[in-house]
């Protein structure tokens, strides 16, 4: 990439440098060094401040890591969750890596008005609230806050939620056959407690994922709000376009 001679605003130059860097590191292994700032400036034909601003942005996102006195290196590989399109919806194959959970909270209480509405239960009904720290290959990735109608999972124990496929467990142990969910994903940042649990700086980029799950009969069986590390987790999907109309 050469930007020499192009009368581009500084922001657009930085975008071009960022895109070049993303292409440069796309096939590199985690921990690989990138060329020096001097060499990159010479190759790209940009100033040192423009290059550093682009690198700073990738460091903030966890894509690159600076090590004082050593240089800049590619960050850890992200855990990828694929959403695959079916005929009328998406299904989610298992995400990469070895997933385990540490149970932080496990208790039941009457549903609040908000939870009663979410789960379509009476405010007097008991709701089981489970907070668990999810790890992949021994590294913290997410905090899940799970809410389940207590009557559906009477007898559920914390150890039941440490490993394995939870939805498969619900089906075989309690006859709760989770078949679909409505899920939303939006950007957020970590608060002080989340940052400590996820081993990231406070206000680090994160993904807020809310999911309402239903069984085969359409009954709501779960509401979950999760915080995923933005530097280590990504979601991909395939899109199929309707070509029958303009």
């Amino acid at each position: 990439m050469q930007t020499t001679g192009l009368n581009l605003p500084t922001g657009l130059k930085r975008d071009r440098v960022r895109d070049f860097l993303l292409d440069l590191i796309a096939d590199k292994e985690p921990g690989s060094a990138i060329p020096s700032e001097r060499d990159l400036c010479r190759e790209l034909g940009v100033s040192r401040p423009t290059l550093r601003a682009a690198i700073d942005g990738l460091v903030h996102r966890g894509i690159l890591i600076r090590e004082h006195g050593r240089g800049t290196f590619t960050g850890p590989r992200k855990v990828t969750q694929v959403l695959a399109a079916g005929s009328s919806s998406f299904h989610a194959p298992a995400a990469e890596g070895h997933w385990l959970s540490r149970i932080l909270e496990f208790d039941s209480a009457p549903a609040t008005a908000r939870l009663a509405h979410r789960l379509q239960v009476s405010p007097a009904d008991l709701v089981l609230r489970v907070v668990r720290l999810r790890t992949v290959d021994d590294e913290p990735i997410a905090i899940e806050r799970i809410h389940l109608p207590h009557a559906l999972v009477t007898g559920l124990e914390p150890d039941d939620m440490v490993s394995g496929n939870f939805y498969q467990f619900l089906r075989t142990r309690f006859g709760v056959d989770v078949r679909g969910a409505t899920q939303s994903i939006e950007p957020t940042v970590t608060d002080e407690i989340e940052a400590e649990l996820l081993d990231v700086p406070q206000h680090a980029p994160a993904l807020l994922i809310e999911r309402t799950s239903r069984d085969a009969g359409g009954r709501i069986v779960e509401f979950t709000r999760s915080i995923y590390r933005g530097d280590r987790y990504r979601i991909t999907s395939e899109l199929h376009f309707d070509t029958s109309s303009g």
Side-chain angles (χ1 to χ4, degrees):
M1 170 195 147
Q2 273 287 348
T3 59
T4 304
L6 291 179
N7 187 23
L8 293 174
T10 300
L12 292 181
K13 286 185 180 180
R14 187 165 59 243
D15 285 349
R16 289 197 174 200
V17 174
R18 179 203 59 205
D19 290 346
F20 174 87
L21 292 172
L22 288 172
D23 289 340
L24 176 70
I25 66 179
D27 298 323
K28 289 184 178 294
E29 291 296 316
S32 299
I34 68 170
S36 69
E37 290 185 0
R38 178 180 298 177
D39 290 342
L40 287 170
C41 287
R42 184 184 304 116
E43 180 176 358
L44 300 175
V46 297
S47 67
R48 187 70 67 88
T50 297
L51 176 68
R52 284 182 175 172
I55 291 177
D56 285 345
L58 297 181
V59 169
H60 184 67
R61 292 166 56 188
I63 296 174
L64 293 175
I65 295 175
R66 275 199 181 100
E67 295 188 13
H68 183 68
R70 295 191 62 225
T72 304
F73 301 83
T74 55
R77 194 180 307 280
K78 290 194 174 188
V79 175
T80 299
Q81 170 69 69
V82 179
L83 296 182
S87 58
S88 60
S89 61
F90 288 87
H91 68 277
E96 300 172 332
H98 179 56
W99 289 73
L100 290 173
S101 299
R102 177 158 64 93
I103 307 303
L104 306 176
E105 295 182 34
F106 192 97
D107 59 75
S108 297
T112 62
R114 180 183 61 84
L115 274 178
H117 177 72
R118 291 274 194 181
L119 294 171
Q120 295 184 2
V121 297
S122 165
D125 289 345
L126 289 179
V127 171
L128 175 64
R129 182 175 188 266
V130 182
V131 180
R132 59 181 185 171
L133 178 66
R134 301 280 274 155
T135 64
V136 178
D137 301 330
D138 297 324
E139 184 169 6
I141 291 293
I143 302 165
E144 289 185 341
R145 299 172 175 93
I146 304 169
H147 304 85
L148 305 154
H150 188 273
L152 293 182
V153 291
T154 301
L156 182 70
E157 298 291 339
D159 287 348
D160 297 329
M161 303 185 68
V162 170
S163 63
N165 185 311
F166 182 56
Y167 290 150
Q168 185 177 45
F169 178 81
L170 286 179
R171 183 169 59 252
T172 56
R173 171 78 176 274
F174 298 103
V176 177
D177 188 7
V178 179
R179 290 294 185 91
T182 300
Q183 180 167 279
S184 66
I185 304 170
E186 60 184 274
T188 187
V189 295
T190 56
D191 63 22
E192 182 179 2
I193 295 174
E194 293 163 347
E196 182 177 356
L197 288 171
L198 294 175
D199 194 23
V200 297
Q202 189 174 352
H203 303 141
L207 295 174
L208 170 62
I209 301 178
E210 292 189 350
R211 182 173 63 248
T212 302
S213 304
R214 297 174 176 83
D215 66 8
R219 175 182 53 174
I220 294 177
V221 297
E222 173 204 34
F223 170 67
T224 296
R225 177 180 286 112
S226 304
I227 297 290
Y228 280 77
R229 285 176 55 168
D231 64 330
R232 292 300 319 279
Y233 188 78
R234 67 178 175 181
I235 296 173
T236 66
S237 61
E238 283 202 26
L239 304 178
H240 299 273
F241 298 101
D242 183 2
T243 59
S244 60
S245 59

